[in-house]
Amino acid sequence: MLVGITAALVALLFVGGAGAAWATGMLDPLLSGSMFAAEPDGCDEPTELVIVADPTIAPVVSAVAETFDEASDGCALTTVRAQESADTAAVVATGTGDPADVWIPSSGAWVDRMTATATSLGRPAPAVSVGLDVASTPVVFATPAEQAASLGEAAPGWGTLFTGGTRMLLPDPEGSASSLAALASLAGIADPDDPTQLAGAMIELGKTIPASTDAAFGATVAAAEPTMAIVTEQAVADYNADEPMEQLVAVYPAEGTPAMTYPFVRLPAAADGSDDAESDAADTTEDAAADADQADPDAWTPPTRAELLTDLERAISDAADVLAAHGFRTADGSGELDAPGVVAEPVATFAAPAGADQVALLRQWGVLTLRGRMLAVIDVSGSMLDPAGNGLRRIDIFQQAALGAMQKFSGEVQMGVWAFSTARNGDLDYEELAPIGPLADAAHLQQIAGIIASLPERLGGATGLYDTTLAAVQRVTETYDPERVNSVLLITDGRNEDANGIDLDTLLAELEELQDPLQPVPVIMIGFGPDTDFEAMTRIANATGGAAYSATEPEDLGDVLVTALSQRTCRPDCG
């Protein structure tokens, strides 16, 4: 069932503690029918098993493994290593790191990301074997209890990220599978005929990117405005188990939510049995079995490594009480939780999109959240006073779009502003209004907002397009920052009208001479209104590896800007 936000949900904060306690022997019923029950004498030497588990589920695996080893009568000795799934994916893809039998990541998408990493390095995909999902947890919106109580029955959903209204924090999808699943959920409900809808939501989320779930929780609690962190139900239960001063409530998206499942992945040696230790153990087991068969055909033989792993896999997936004690549901989403801030009963979930699709979304996210360094060059010629419809002038429409666009940029972006027309600054067609600086600097951001507000007072002259474009590229090239994506964003409503400046062919030749493949400075040209020279704009953009865009109606300017930002890595061949 879908779970709304009610006053009763907030009461969950005051019910129960960290959940059911782990008790030795809890797994005895699970193991009573296993291979271990048949042989009281056990094994002479244990088989050492190594499991690498995501830190969120490592405590569960350790608890189950401890009882598993005890029940094995000396046949199994399991070591559990906690390691971030992103790190393990990289290690497995490159074939480095300490050997292990099994990997339990926080999502099956990590297996696809591991494969994609290996392919990008020119390596064959590791021969892993994906087995059962052993646990699950739904993606939720986490928020302080007081704010959750104010929601009443108006539970927000994934569509909220398109409409705004509540600030959402998304931990970096590069390291968070739940964040990537959240982006996939957005993509699933986005309008397929409006690519700017998903891109715009990603840009908004990219304004602040917490490095981890813990960082997202800290920012959510400290925020002065209503804020939610997009995390997992298990993360909320785990956070509240430490009894912080201000606990969080899990808000369950109105449309349902993806379930994060933790697969039991056999790594290459365990998947194909090709490692020397396994082969030696197999030989020893076969010899022992042969001797035993000669003495007694019904004699018990020690379990193989593969058999031990299969039993351990089943033991973890069946340990519902242990999973619940650590905030997890079972693999199929069932099980009750007794933890503050989350609902006890299972909630409505859907399978997360295929890992390959999520990897593709991660590329789009990376494009939209690139750390940029941009010089914005704005046309302030007299034609900007021309009417644009609805009783507004072109400059009015531009101001609205520019202020909206400013709100989409991350604080990681650096931006400067020039204005241009003709003879703006002595003989120059351009005027520097703000140097390139970080938008995270509140004073710099306020300066740019003030410039946008003052644009109507700056209008006059004709359009000095070519001289200005060349000067802007020269400035960004001279001050190039190799750690950022350097570019020029030029917005105009007209065509070049400076009879005393350079012509188009001269501009193109100069731009070609300035181009350095190691230090590219693409020019993104946006024209709006009916008077632009789109052919010339396209030639200028192509000469720099940039792109030209046209907003037929000035009010389309905001959407065109989102498109320009979302196509930064496909130019000049964007579809």
Side-chain angles (χ1 to χ4, degrees), residues 129-147:
S129 175
V130 181
L132 297 175
D133 290 329
V134 297
S136 72
T137 183
V139 179
V140 299
F141 305 148
T143 193
E146 183 177 350
Q147 182 180 329

Side-chain angles (χ1 to χ4, degrees), residues 68-81:
F68 179 84
D69 289 352
E70 291 174 357
S72 75
D73 280 333
C75 290
L77 180 61
T78 307
T79 299
V80 179
R81 294 202 309 261

